[in-house]
Amino acid sequence: MGRRETMKTKIDIQHLSVEYGRGAERFTALADVSLTVREGEFVCLLGPSGCGKTTLLNAIAGFERPTSGSLLIDGSPVDGPNPRHTVVFQDYGLLPWRTVERNVGLGLENRNLSPSGRQQTVDRCLDLVGLTAFRNYYPEQLSGGMRQRIALARALAVDPDMLLMDEPFGALDVITRARMQDELIRIWQTCAKTIVFVTHDIDEAVYLADRVVIMAPDPGRIKAVKTIDLGRGRDRTSVRFMAERDQILEIFEMKNYTEVEFYL
Ligand code: ADP
Ligand code: MG
């Protein structure tokens, strides 16, 4: 069990299917997916393009309605987006005409907060992602890594109990990406949130996750769920890290070699 986990179930998915289109156009994006995620757990959805990772994340976020099956969060059916479950996208979704601090405060504007309470929250979140010195900059003046930090700070500002992240570091260079992974782990350890993180990068999944949900396409489904048996402060070059990585590769290779070519 990961450090931040409790025994409480946060997400309970049973026999979930999502189909797009109708009639001859009908397409099964997810078939019979069952998964439970505990409160405080860090779970990665891993798999090649088109295996339904985004569809599953969007269903959890309430953006996508399942065709069949059940999807409960905190014991209640998901019936639409919920501000307590914030989504962080790869393209940041920042407003270019707003400064860093006004981007971070976006989600607080329609809340019943005093200006000083709002400012305190913005300050705390800017500090958490190391952007205090850049508060008056505009997104276009900052690097990709810093923009992703703004998006993360904005997500954290509304104090969600769950972060849903869709390949958030996919556009970053390798070094910035490794830094962001460390920051995310640090934030997760500080704030005790449930995180569902989509990636197609095996190393990223092994580095971040308590458990990796290994998905496969045609139709989108869960192939295996792998617990990562490593503590925190993981060493990407250690033998045990490599072993976890190899086991995941093996799961991809076992049944259908073409599914793994994507990663090699
Ligand atoms: P992933 O995020 O793993 O790449 P997606 O969840 O985006 O996969 O997509 C899964 C499959 O569903 C893909 O084949 C994709 O083309 C299809 N799909 C996704 N969204 C739609 C949609 N709105 N309408 C029709 N097909 C879609
Ligand atoms: Mg996707």
Side-chain angles (χ1 to χ4, degrees), residues 28-89:
T28 305
L30 284 177
D32 197 23
V33 164
S34 297
L35 174 72
T36 59
V37 175
R38 288 182 289 270
E39 198 175 72
E41 197 176 12
F42 198 134
V43 167
C44 282
L45 307 181
L46 174 71
S49 237
C51 69
K53 302 182 296 296
T54 295
T55 300
L56 183 53
L57 198 79
N58 284 346
I60 296 169
F63 297 149
E64 199 68 68
R65 203 166 278 278
T67 311
S68 60
S70 84
L71 202 176
L72 308 179
I73 296 179
D74 297 321
S76 305
V78 173
D79 60 0
N82 182 332
R84 307 230 30 91
H85 314 143
T86 310
V87 185
V88 182
F89 301 98

Side-chain angles (χ1 to χ4, degrees), residues 9-176:
T9 297
K10 183 72 186 171
I11 308 172
D12 181 11
I13 301 171
Q14 299 296 333
H15 307 294
L16 183 100
S17 296
V18 175
E19 290 173 1
Y20 292 118
R22 286 161 202 277
E25 301 282 287
R26 208 173 173 82
F27 178 82
T28 305
L30 284 177
D32 197 23
V33 164
S34 297
L35 174 72
T36 59
V37 175
R38 288 182 289 270
E39 198 175 72
E41 197 176 12
F42 198 134
V43 167
C44 282
L45 307 181
L46 174 71
S49 237
C51 69
K53 302 182 296 296
T54 295
T55 300
L56 183 53
L57 198 79
N58 284 346
I60 296 169
F63 297 149
E64 199 68 68
R65 203 166 278 278
T67 311
S68 60
S70 84
L71 202 176
L72 308 179
I73 296 179
D74 297 321
S76 305
V78 173
D79 60 0
N82 182 332
R84 307 230 30 91
H85 314 143
T86 310
V87 185
V88 182
F89 301 98
Q90 180 176 331
D91 64 1
Y92 323 125
L94 301 174
L95 303 179
W97 59 88
R98 284 183 172 228
T99 60
V100 168
E101 101 180 311
R102 294 203 58 234
N103 265 289
V104 172
L106 187 69
L108 299 172
E109 284 169 9
N110 49 15
R111 297 205 174 182
N112 204 6
L113 280 173
S114 69
S116 70
R118 190 176 302 158
Q119 191 62 47
Q120 270 174 20
T121 303
V122 169
D123 290 350
R124 184 174 49 77
C125 294
L126 283 172
D127 183 50
L128 206 53
V129 300
L131 281 181
T132 303
F134 299 92
R135 61 190 320 144
N136 295 318
Y137 284 60
Y138 287 88
E140 65 176 16
Q141 297 174 285
L142 302 176
S143 68
M146 289 160 103
R147 289 183 204 178
Q148 191 51 268
R149 283 201 182 96
I150 307 170
L152 191 54
R154 184 178 61 190
L156 293 167
V158 298
D159 194 27
D161 46 36
M162 187 156 70
L163 280 178
L164 305 172
M165 309 182 79
D166 196 351
E167 308 208 25
F169 307 150
L172 305 179
D173 65 83
V174 177
I175 308 220
T176 307

Side-chain angles (χ1 to χ4, degrees), residues 189-228:
Q189 289 181 319
T190 313
C191 306
K193 304 197 183 297
T194 309
I195 299 184
V196 182
F197 186 107
V198 167
T199 181
H200 58 249
D201 182 317
I202 295 185
D203 285 57
E204 182 163 69
V206 173
Y207 192 72
L208 294 175
D210 291 325
R211 283 189 304 149
V212 178
V213 177
I214 297 164
M215 299 179 65
D218 305 315
R221 63 195 188 279
I222 294 177
K223 196 163 187 179
V225 179
K226 167 96 180 69
T227 299
I228 303 299

